[in-house]
Amino acid sequence: MGEAERAGADGFGTGFRRGGVIAVLATAQGLGIAPMVAIGVLAPFLIDDFDISRTSVGLLVALVSGVSAVLSPLVGNLADGMEDRRAVLWVLVLGTISLLWMAASPTYAILVGGLALAGIARAGCNPATNRVITLRVAPGQRGWITGLKQSGETVAVMLAGSMLPALALLWGWRVSILSLAVIAIVALIVGWALVQKTDGGESTREERKAARLRPSIGWLNGYNLAMGGGAGAITAYLPLYAHEEGHLSVAAAGGVIVLAGIVGGVGRLLWSHWSESSLGFPVALSCLAVTAVGSGVLLIAAPEIGRTAFWAGAALWGASGLAFGAVAMLAVMAESDPTNTGRASGLNVFWFGVGFTITPPLFGLLVDRSHDYGLGFALITAIYAIAAIQILLGREHFRPLVRAESA
């Protein structure tokens, strides 16, 4: 019997404890993306301090993403072998150390080490936090909690984008990085105090080998590959597209992607609830991909429609191309067993990372060769359409939807 069943409604507790545990999970999730955002917004300071090129800045971000993608299956498997509370605390420890390492780095080469460690923390954040929810919350009751947990990434993006530049101007970029480390340390202390140990959260190597992944995990991997491809290209080029083709100012073009992030955060809460309460995961994921197709079509037509279309297209993409992550992780938890939730989560992160890494250079090559952003967005729109179709083709491999009242 799992912890969720033993605890009644779920194993998060009530009142202050419940809110604190969810906040810890959201912070752990946010630590996965915070270092990459920090490098982006602090790039001018890093270039001046270390005398590096813009390419070198991009390599730092790629390092975090690459390490995370490569190590996610391994780290997920390791998370399955330890008690879920310990796995989350390790993510918070690694995230804290990576930020302190970054802030103290005297050279670019040493900074690289800090970002590599951040990549390991990123690889572990989804497997660890997903296992906490899987072991403590019954199916049919995970939607809102998972949406809040996944929205930690959105909060991290907004917080880093608004807070770090201001702190860097006042006290230097190292102090701004330390501010993130303070948040991580607080989350670590709160997690140590409030997240209770589970009984039987660990699994043996033999149990993990015996517990085969369901075919539905393979369909989810393919879906994440496609959706990650769309997210990588649009994240990389949407602000530039709005600036060059929509004639928005640099600040306004940056605001376009911020709007997408805000809408995406709300979308993660709503879609995760709908997917678990009524739609089911294959249908919800397909609807998200179809909505992303609509955002691609709108962005292709945006130069002809006018500036408003860039904002509308970004919002529509945020509600779909960014919001899908919460539903995908909910599906992973529903389709995996407690002995392999970490491994299944790690594989999904791996394939998302592959897609996220491949499409930006392809998109850029198309634009450079054709001098037409429309071809790049047509490619992304087609990828989203493939994602919508393939997840529906695999819907018969998914478990029946478990609603809260039956759970």
Side-chain angles (χ1 to χ4, degrees):
M1 182 180 296
E3 183 72 15
E5 288 80 1
R6 285 191 296 270
D10 63 48
F12 276 47
T14 59
F16 174 78
R17 178 182 293 276
R18 181 181 182 83
V21 172
I22 294 174
V24 167
L25 297 183
T27 303
Q29 193 72 38
L31 280 177
I33 197 171
M36 293 193 291
V37 179
I39 293 298
V41 299
L42 297 175
F45 302 94
L46 298 176
I47 290 171
D48 290 340
D49 197 358
F50 294 125
D51 191 22
I52 57 176
S53 66
R54 287 161 180 79
T55 301
S56 297
V57 173
L59 288 174
L60 292 174
V61 178
L63 175 65
V64 180
S65 178
V67 169
S68 171
V70 171
L71 294 184
S72 285
L74 173 62
V75 173
N77 194 44
L78 291 174
D80 284 331
M82 66 177 68
E83 195 258 335
D84 61 331
R85 173 180 180 268
R86 185 184 304 167
V88 168
L89 293 179
W90 267 114
V91 169
L92 292 169
V93 167
L94 291 174
T96 300
I97 294 174
S98 70
L99 291 169
L100 293 173
W101 188 329
M102 290 167 61
S105 297
T107 65
Y108 178 81
I110 295 178
L111 182 63
V112 166
L115 269 298
L117 189 61
I120 300 175
R122 178 169 174 79
C125 65
N126 275 297
T129 55
N130 285 353
R131 289 193 75 245
V132 170
I133 296 174
T134 300
L135 291 171
R136 298 163 189 262
V137 184
Q141 300 175 0
R142 298 169 178 165
W144 288 115
I145 292 174
T146 303
L148 288 169
K149 187 264 288 188
Q150 293 292 135
S151 293
E153 294 182 354
T154 305
V155 173
V157 171
M158 296 172 59
L159 189 64
S162 60
M163 179 179 72
L164 297 191
L167 291 177
L169 287 172
L170 288 173
W171 295 298
W173 69 269
R174 298 178 190 276
V175 172
S176 67
I177 294 289
L178 285 175
S179 68
L180 294 179
V182 170
I183 296 174
I185 291 170
V186 171
L188 178 59
I189 295 171
V190 173
W192 183 272
L194 296 185
V195 181
Q196 295 177 330
K197 292 183 178 181
T198 53
D199 182 17
E202 309 93 333
S203 61
T204 66
R205 184 187 299 269
E206 289 72 23
E207 288 173 332
R208 296 196 298 277
K209 284 184 177 180
R212 294 184 176 181
L213 295 175
R214 291 171 51 81
S216 54
I217 298 298
W219 290 94
L220 286 169
N221 290 341
Y223 179 85
N224 274 271
L225 174 65
M227 297 298 284
I234 292 182
T235 300
Y237 291 101
L238 181 56
L240 186 62
Y241 178 54
H243 176 61
E244 293 184 345
E245 299 295 327
H247 307 294
L248 276 68
S249 68
V250 174
V256 167
I257 201 71
V258 172
L259 173 65
I262 295 172
V263 175
V266 176
R268 289 182 179 193
L269 293 173
L270 296 177
W271 278 106
S272 58
H273 174 67
W274 294 333
S275 67
E276 195 177 47
S277 64
S278 57
L279 295 177
F281 300 118
V283 172
L285 291 170
S286 183
C287 288
L288 282 159
V290 169
T291 306
V293 168
S295 71
V297 172
L298 183 55
L299 288 171
I300 291 172
E304 302 298 326
I305 298 175
R307 293 185 176 185
T308 303
F310 289 92
W311 293 94
L316 194 61
W317 175 70
S320 53
L322 285 181
F324 85 93
V327 180
M329 286 303 161
L330 262 176
V332 168
M333 286 184 266
E335 295 300 314
S336 60
D337 299 320
T339 54
N340 58 26
T341 299
R343 178 156 54 107
S345 301
L347 286 170
N348 268 241
V349 173
F350 170 78
W351 287 109
F352 173 85
V354 170
F356 197 94
T357 303
I358 290 176
T359 54
L362 289 178
F363 188 103
L365 182 63
L366 279 175
V367 174
D368 286 339
R369 292 286 181 87
S370 67
H371 304 288
D372 181 9
Y373 276 94
L375 287 178
F377 281 107
L379 170 65
I380 298 308
T381 302
I383 291 174
Y384 280 138
I386 292 171
I389 294 170
Q390 75 94 24
I391 198 66
L392 282 182
L393 290 176
R395 66 185 183 277
E396 64 182 25
H397 296 287
F398 285 73
R399 287 168 170 160
L401 181 65
V402 178
R403 292 184 172 86
E405 58 267 21
S406 62

